[in-house]
Amino acid sequence: MKLYFREDDQEYCYTKKQIIEDMKEAGINEMKIVEAKRMIGEPYFWCTFFQKPGEVGQTCGRFCPEYKPRNGKNGRCRYSGHCYEPTDKVITLTCR
């Protein structure tokens, strides 16, 4: 599933479908979006539970009340996801 940054929100990524729905609700006819790519090898992660970034080893694990290991014992939390960064691929969406 491809994710994109909106021109009015460079912090969060969305699917095209989500962006089009938001454009319809807001009455926006055209918007530039930038394709996102996963950041690999960085000491950061995206917490899908709290919907915010965290630092590996600092804000997850025993420090977090919602920590739940993927394997049920220990290790990476089931809420740990990837952070994304913009690419140079710009797309113009039109909505009517």
Side-chain angles (χ1 to χ4, degrees):
M1 165 179 54
K2 287 191 178 185
L3 295 174
Y4 301 87
F5 289 99
R6 297 167 39 149
E7 66 182 346
D8 62 346
D9 185 356
Q10 297 293 313
E11 189 170 338
Y12 295 97
C13 296
Y14 304 91
T15 63
K16 270 188 190 177
K17 183 178 178 181
Q18 289 172 313
I19 295 171
I20 291 170
E21 288 174 7
D22 290 346
M23 288 172 65
K24 287 179 182 177
E25 286 180 20
I28 299 170
N29 295 327
E30 187 174 285
M31 180 183 290
K32 291 184 193 260
I33 60 173
V34 179
E35 190 174 310
K37 71 174 182 177
R38 286 194 309 186
M39 295 173 68
I40 298 174
E42 297 293 325
Y44 302 100
F45 67 94
W46 181 258
C47 178
T48 60
F49 186 87
F50 290 111
Q51 294 294 304
K52 64 180 189 174
E55 191 172 350
V56 174
Q58 300 295 317
T59 56
C60 195
R62 63 188 169 147
F63 308 107
C64 179
E66 296 302 325
Y67 170 70
K68 291 182 178 53
R70 290 182 183 200
N71 66 5
K73 298 176 188 174
N74 56 26
R76 191 170 178 184
C77 180
R78 71 181 64 214
Y79 301 120
S80 175
H82 293 283
C83 289
Y84 288 82
E85 63 185 346
T87 66
D88 57 353
K89 297 178 184 175
V90 178
I91 299 169
T92 302
L93 284 181
T94 55
C95 181
R96 295 178 189 172

